[in-house]
Amino acid sequence: MSIVFRLLGHLPLSALHVLGCCFGWLAWLFSPTYRRHLRENMQLALGASEAARLRGAAIGEAGKQMLELPRIWLRPLAETAARVVSVSGWELVEAATRRGKGILYLTPHLGCFEVTAQYLSTRAPITVLYRQPKQAWLQAMVEAGRAREQLHLASADLAGVRTLLKALRRGEAVGMLPDQAPRAGEGRWLDFFGKPAYTMTLAARLADSGAAVIMVWAERLPGGAGYHFRLQEPRRPIRGTLEERAQQINHEIEDLIRQCPQQYLWGYNRYKQRRSSQPPGALAEKDDG
């Protein structure tokens, strides 16, 4: 599998996106669990008619997201960063840098989320939260592909949290996927598109550190043309209790997704039940991922 992955890394982005679209449809056809998650999550967030209209595009975009990974991870950083062909909102980074209290970048599973930290690391040091994949061959490749000169990895445990806090105290940037389902005991059941989702609290804790919070995602452009890097402030400051801050972050993620819903990873089991963690007032979906 690693040999195939490396071979794919030599293909142009346009070819990978064509292959990825086919891969997305194969996953749809052969995985009933994936079909169910994608259908249910899209319909919950977008409504039946809009979900039906965008379903085909979402299937293809999910496949593109998988097949573009080899090129992002295995090519030189300068080449990867060059695929970002336009940037909106960079003035937010400049303003936050002048404040000197660190930056918390929140990137949901939207667009090409793997290129965001890579691109940001070409401008300044950044430390990103990292959860090890289950496959050993993939773990080695992920670590090699993500660990660039100014891109540092923090494990998803207590030691990793300390690493993130130290980076913020130095006035540096940290990044994470705030819509990733946390382990049991590490989250709260909060609303996400109208349904309880087990939500990480780490992003909300770090948002209370004084760091500037910036929402960021990379829009995948048609025809393998590259990515439009988009940064924006939360619609209102992340304040309140821990639970209120975490809930607001969920709503900020929803706002980003509505900008380009076909590029969200709807097949991700966002509503899965973690062992020993039950949503209030509802029977949670069994953890099958």
Side-chain angles (χ1 to χ4, degrees):
M1 183 63 71
S2 62
I3 295 175
V4 174
F5 206 82
R6 293 183 185 280
L7 289 173
L8 289 171
H10 292 284
L11 294 177
L13 190 60
S14 56
L16 289 172
H17 282 176
V18 171
L19 291 174
C21 191
C22 298
F23 180 82
W25 279 100
L26 287 174
W28 167 265
L29 291 172
F30 290 101
S31 175
T33 300
Y34 174 70
R35 282 200 304 273
R36 176 167 55 86
H37 290 156
L38 189 144
R39 275 201 193 105
E40 291 178 352
N41 292 344
M42 288 192 76
Q43 185 164 329
L44 178 70
L46 307 175
S49 60
E50 186 71 355
R53 186 179 72 84
L54 294 176
R55 186 177 300 139
I59 292 168
E61 293 293 333
K64 292 176 187 178
Q65 187 272 323
M66 291 299 298
L67 268 291
E68 69 194 357
L69 289 180
R71 189 163 187 87
I72 293 169
W73 286 345
L74 303 179
R75 304 302 297 171
L77 178 58
E79 188 177 323
T80 298
R83 303 310 300 168
V84 175
V85 297
S86 58
V87 180
S88 299
W90 191 257
E91 66 277 4
L92 299 175
V93 180
E94 294 173 341
T97 302
R98 287 194 294 270
R99 287 182 57 214
K101 294 187 177 181
I103 303 174
L104 173 60
Y105 290 108
L106 299 181
T107 304
H109 291 82
L110 178 66
C112 183
F113 47 89
E114 283 289 345
V115 83
T116 55
Q118 301 264 352
Y119 179 77
L120 290 167
S121 75
T122 65
R123 304 295 190 97
I126 181 170
T127 304
V128 296
L129 191 67
Y130 161 69
R131 182 174 294 172
Q132 293 182 351
K134 296 177 181 179
Q135 300 88 350
W137 70 268
L138 185 57
Q139 178 181 336
M141 197 161 296
V142 169
E143 290 177 351
R146 286 180 175 169
R148 307 287 192 166
E149 184 177 356
Q150 294 196 105
L151 201 169
H152 312 293
L153 304 179
S155 55
D157 54 26
L158 185 57
V161 173
R162 291 179 180 141
T163 299
L164 296 177
L165 287 170
K166 287 178 182 177
L168 289 176
R169 291 190 190 111
R170 292 194 299 268
E172 296 178 359
V174 303
M176 65 183 62
L177 294 162
D179 57 341
Q180 190 165 40
R183 296 187 179 94
E186 297 178 357
R188 303 281 179 88
W189 286 99
L190 300 172
D191 181 85
F192 187 65
F193 284 117
K195 181 178 178 180
Y198 199 52
T199 300
M200 72 155 61
T201 57
L202 178 57
R205 293 178 192 278
L206 295 180
D208 199 39
S209 67
V213 179
I214 299 179
M215 312 298 295
V216 55
W217 68 287
E219 180 184 0
R220 189 177 298 109
L221 300 177
Y227 307 99
H228 183 170
F229 206 74
R230 299 183 178 274
L231 306 105
Q232 68 181 60
E233 288 181 309
R235 292 168 298 177
R236 56 187 178 88
I238 309 294
R239 293 174 180 164
T241 65
L242 177 64
E243 198 160 292
E244 288 169 343
R245 297 195 303 272
Q247 180 63 78
Q248 187 187 343
I249 289 172
N250 270 2
H251 291 326
E252 298 294 338
I253 294 168
E254 294 170 354
D255 182 58
L256 286 191
I257 293 169
R258 291 188 183 101
Q259 295 177 23
C260 190
Q262 65 271 26
Q263 290 194 19
Y264 188 63
L265 202 63
W266 295 108
Y268 178 59
N269 189 5
R270 183 67 180 84
Y271 299 101
K272 62 185 170 185
Q273 176 187 340
R274 292 300 194 185
R275 292 180 178 87
S276 305
S277 180
Q278 184 79 11
L283 180 63
E285 188 175 338
K286 184 180 179 182
D287 183 355
D288 55 7

